[in-house]
Amino acid sequence: MKRILIIGALGQLGSEIALECRRRYGTDNVVLADIRSDVNRPLIEDGPFYLLDARDGKRIDEVVRTHRIDTIYHLAALLSARAEQDPMEAWNLNINGLIAVLEVARQRSCAVFVPSSIGAFGPTTPKKFTPQDTIQRPTSIYGVTKVTGELLCDYYHHRWDVDTRGIRFPGIISSLTPPGGGTTDYAVEIYYEAIRNQHYTCFLRGDTYLDMIYMPDAVEAAIKIMEADPARLRHRNAFNIAAMSFCPEEQAAYIRTHIPTFTISYAIDPVRQAIADSWPDYMEDYAARVEWDFKPRYTLASMTEDMIEKIREREGL
Ligand code: VAH
């Protein structure tokens, strides 16, 4: 049975990978770690949790040895918009944290999952059907750290045979833990505002197309790739995955099929609009589908229905 350490376990993606991994592999086999402990108390109290900084390689090594960890999900990072506010801190956490984890993985023979992002592409990358292997000249510091991360993970694999694997995630939409500091956060906020106020003021232009994925499909992908037969993997860091591509206007139209009075207006954030404009409209993901059977289940229609149902249920609306 896998013995997993999830670093950044209380974040939007980490918390849901933690829940699903504990369900599949057993709570005691899934150790959580995060730099904060003031959120998600039920998850913290449900099983092994450590308060630690992702850059603290010594502490990570202690946890790996104590729990005989064989797989690390390294999810601690500053996301795109937050990173632009403090580029040096973004480099420090996103890269020095990753190197600390890769060094532990090298010394302790752990497999490592590291998320990349559509943010690893830039304005010179083909925007439609973005290929798995293509130009990567991102113009955000987040994207620079994501490309660097992809290259570091490839290096640790071919230099020391560390089992590194990664995915270039689209914007992730979830109803449990809110995202923090991302350019795609609008696609989550819009559901909450539609239910609470029947109106949302969007910080991106209404015709901004971006790849998006619903959290259940993102979690399934993150687990499936780590269970894949390594002999099938021609790529490793990091696979494009694409589930849906839409713009705020389209998402608003689907919301209106459930909340007819919903309206959307725009107050463009130039920083996040510039980041979004530098990213692809939609990627091709044949490598993920061929090499480890990636197959998303949700569409914009079914995700919208599920999100609205879950938020209404939890907020008693
Ligand atoms: C962000 N949600 O907006 C993250 C993600 C594809 C976007 O990397 O920064």
Side-chain angles (χ1 to χ4, degrees), residues 135-283:
I135 302 159
Q136 291 181 258
R137 300 301 289 254
T139 47
S140 70
I141 186 64
Y142 175 72
V144 169
T145 69
K146 284 299 160 185
V147 174
T148 308
E150 291 184 14
L151 296 174
L152 279 170
C153 290
D154 276 348
Y155 179 76
Y156 270 75
H157 178 63
H158 65 70
R159 180 71 172 67
W160 292 296
D161 201 27
V162 177
D163 185 2
T164 57
R165 307 182 192 191
I167 287 175
R168 290 180 188 135
F169 280 111
I172 299 176
I173 293 161
S174 63
S175 66
L176 265 186
T177 306
T183 299
T184 59
D185 293 1
Y186 88 85
V188 179
E189 295 166 359
I190 191 170
Y191 289 114
Y192 286 88
E193 291 306 304
I195 292 165
R196 290 171 184 157
N197 307 310
Q198 292 76 52
H199 179 78
Y200 179 62
T201 303
C202 186
F203 57 75
L204 291 185
R205 268 197 335 267
D207 63 350
T208 306
Y209 277 87
L210 290 169
D211 270 308
M212 300 283 182
I213 189 168
Y214 196 27
M215 182 62 85
D217 285 333
V219 170
E220 180 62 25
I223 292 173
K224 205 169 196 179
I225 189 174
M226 297 312 282
E227 291 184 343
D229 173 2
R232 292 179 62 191
L233 302 181
R234 283 188 50 247
H235 297 80
R236 277 178 169 269
N237 305 287
F239 285 88
N240 290 358
I241 62 169
M244 54 187 102
S245 171
F246 58 77
C247 65
E249 279 299 339
E250 266 179 337
Q251 192 178 16
Y254 276 85
I255 290 172
R256 273 193 286 274
T257 64
H258 298 271
I259 307 171
T261 55
F262 174 67
T263 56
I264 186 169
S265 61
Y266 298 93
I268 307 304
D269 169 0
V271 172
R272 284 184 282 189
Q273 187 64 55
I275 293 173
D277 288 343
S278 73
W279 291 352
D281 292 353
Y282 49 91
M283 301 183 284

Side-chain angles (χ1 to χ4, degrees), residues 68-82:
R68 292 179 289 110
I69 299 296
D70 56 40
T71 303
I72 301 174
Y73 279 85
H74 179 55
L75 307 175
L78 288 192
L79 296 183
S80 57
R82 174 77 187 78

Side-chain angles (χ1 to χ4, degrees), residues 105-123:
R106 177 174 67 83
Q107 293 156 29
R108 302 291 170 195
S109 304
C110 299
V112 189
F113 175 85
V114 181
S116 184
S117 156
I118 55 175
F121 298 120

